[in-house]
């Protein structure tokens, strides 16, 4: 059985070495690089199962780096940063990150978060593909085998969390979900990310899937509670 592969993009030698040693001892296959350029190369060559990304690197920094990585890969991504403000966490997640850890953090917590991402990535519901029709022939399809959302037969770029949220909606059409329920289902009950990050994901999904995002027909706001998905 092959080991789960973790790619670490971290330029701090002490932090990088600690992460590499700890995760290797926990049974992961680990590769570490120190620059964004090397990280992009290893995304293709190493093909990791999870990416751990420091937001400040010698050749790139900030949430634009998350967006650049997400354009090239759908690998589950955990961002690590010294920035602790809620706004920074929301910005990173809305740019493509799937989780966010503030430095310094517990190695055990990192392991638990990696395992949670892997569980959600590996999960496949027993039902077949879910699909809805929008307007005149406009079709949205959830391909659960390839973890892809199709619009009129064409794949739509989504983050890991956006896909997970859409899968949850399709499995429970008409059900009202609070922001807390969405956060717990998509990111795990131990998440420290603000529930308001769910609003960002909803906005992005509407832009990608609705004919008119300002007047959504499918992803509806239930004022004072959260959201529901209507077929």
């Amino acid at each position: 059985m092959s080991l789960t592969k973790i790619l670490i993009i971290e330029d701090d030698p002490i932090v990088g070495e600690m992460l590499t040693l700890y995760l290797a001892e926990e049974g992961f296959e680990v590769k570490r690089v120190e620059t964004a350029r090397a990280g992009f190369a290893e995304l293709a060559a190493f093909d990791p199962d999870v990416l751990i990304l420091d937001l400040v690197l010698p050749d790139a920094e900030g949430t634009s780096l998350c967006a650049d990585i997400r354009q090239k890969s759908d690998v589950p991504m955990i961002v690590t940063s010294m920035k602790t403000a809620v706004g920074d966490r929301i910005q990173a997640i809305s740019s493509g990150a799937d989780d966010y850890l503030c430095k310094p953090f517990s190695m055990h917590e990192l392991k638990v978060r990696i395992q949670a991402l892997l569980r959600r990535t590996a999960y496949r519901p027993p039902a077949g593909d879910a699909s809805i029709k929008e307007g005149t022939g406009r079709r949205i399809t959830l391909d659960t085998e390839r973890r892809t959302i199709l619009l009129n037969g064409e794949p739509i770029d989504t983050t890991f969390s956006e896909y997970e949220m859409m899968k949850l909606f399709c499995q429970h059409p008409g059900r009202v979900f609070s922001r807390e329920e969405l956060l717990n289902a998509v990111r795990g009950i131990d998440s420290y990310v603000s529930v308001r990050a769910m609003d960002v994901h909803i906005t992005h999904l509407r832009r990608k899937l609705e004919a008119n995002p300002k007047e959504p027909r499918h992803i509806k706001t239930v004022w004072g509670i959260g959201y529901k998905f209507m077929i």
Side-chain angles (χ1 to χ4, degrees):
M1 183 176 179
S2 60
L3 299 178
T4 297
K5 296 189 289 186
I6 309 292
L7 175 61
I8 302 170
I9 308 179
E10 169 64 69
D11 66 317
D12 186 304
I14 296 177
V15 175
E17 187 68 12
M18 287 177 58
L19 289 172
T20 301
L21 290 174
Y22 176 81
L23 292 174
E25 289 177 355
E26 291 297 319
F28 297 103
E29 180 180 352
V30 184
K31 177 162 286 191
R32 173 181 164 249
V33 296
E34 297 184 356
T35 66
R37 182 176 181 178
F40 281 118
E42 291 300 337
L43 281 175
F46 186 53
D47 190 23
D49 298 298
V50 175
L51 169 64
I52 300 173
L53 173 69
D54 176 33
L55 275 191
V56 181
L57 299 170
D59 56 345
E61 66 177 86
T63 53
S64 60
L65 179 56
C66 291
D68 291 341
I69 290 174
R70 186 53 72 216
Q71 287 180 355
K72 295 177 173 60
S73 173
D74 62 354
V75 61
M77 183 187 343
I78 300 176
V79 160
T80 64
S81 175
M82 296 291 292
K83 298 180 179 179
T84 60
V86 172
D88 292 319
R89 285 178 275 170
I90 290 177
Q91 190 174 8
I93 289 170
S94 65
S95 297
D98 297 298
D99 208 342
Y100 190 108
L101 275 173
C102 297
K103 294 179 178 179
F105 51 81
S106 159
M107 291 293 179
H108 180 66
E109 180 182 1
L110 173 63
K111 176 188 173 184
V112 169
R113 289 176 182 269
I114 290 172
Q115 291 172 331
L117 276 179
L118 291 171
R119 284 196 302 270
R120 292 194 289 273
T121 302
Y123 173 71
R124 294 291 185 274
D129 293 350
S131 65
I132 61 172
K133 285 189 176 181
E134 179 180 353
T136 56
R138 186 178 173 88
R139 185 176 179 85
I140 301 171
T141 304
L142 185 67
D143 187 334
T144 56
E145 289 300 315
R146 296 175 179 83
R147 294 183 56 80
T148 303
I149 298 174
L150 304 176
L151 181 62
N152 293 329
E154 296 295 326
I156 301 299
D157 290 331
T158 58
T159 67
F160 177 87
S161 296
E162 288 168 0
Y163 175 85
E164 290 295 308
M165 186 179 294
M166 197 64 193
K167 181 176 71 175
L168 183 67
F169 279 145
C170 287
Q171 290 171 346
H172 305 280
R175 175 179 168 182
V176 178
F177 291 94
S178 68
R179 292 178 178 85
E180 290 81 3
E181 288 175 322
L182 290 173
L183 179 64
N184 291 341
V186 172
R187 307 188 58 75
I189 197 166
D190 64 339
S191 176
Y192 292 113
V193 177
S194 167
V195 293
R196 289 297 171 180
M198 298 300 100
D199 296 337
V200 175
H201 290 314
I202 291 291
T203 297
H204 288 179
L205 280 172
R206 283 171 171 167
R207 288 175 181 169
K208 295 172 182 179
L209 301 176
E210 298 277 7
N212 184 355
K214 294 184 178 179
E215 297 182 5
R217 297 183 57 191
H218 301 296
I219 304 176
K220 297 280 194 178
T221 299
V222 181
W223 296 107
I225 301 178
Y227 301 96
K228 65 179 179 180
F229 179 68
M230 301 299 295
I231 296 178

